């Protein structure tokens, strides 16, 4: 999908516990929900 949008050098970063401390933290843990950083760049300027 990111390739089709024109991004290059796409790579996956770290998993992030984005629900830590939220009211839905326990639900997120039950479903093993997490965030994921994704890096990419558009060529040109």
């Amino acid at each position: 999908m990111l390739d089709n949008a024109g991004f290059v050098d796409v790579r996956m970063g770290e998993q992030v516990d984005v629900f830590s401390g939220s009211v839905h933290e326990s639900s997120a843990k039950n479903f093993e929900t997490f965030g994921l950083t994704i890096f990419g760049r558009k060529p040109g300027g």
Side-chain angles (χ1 to χ4, degrees), residues 11-37:
R11 59 188 167 89
M12 300 297 180
E14 306 258 339
Q15 291 182 2
V16 181
D17 184 1
V18 295
F19 292 99
S20 179
S22 77
V23 296
H24 300 292
E25 181 175 10
S26 62
S27 295
K29 287 185 189 235
N30 287 338
F31 291 101
E32 299 179 12
T33 304
F34 58 88
L36 179 66
T37 55

Side-chain angles (χ1 to χ4, degrees), residues 1-8 10 41-43:
M1 179 172 51
L2 294 174
D3 290 339
N4 289 338
F7 286 92
V8 297
V10 176
R41 66 178 182 84
K42 285 227 177 180

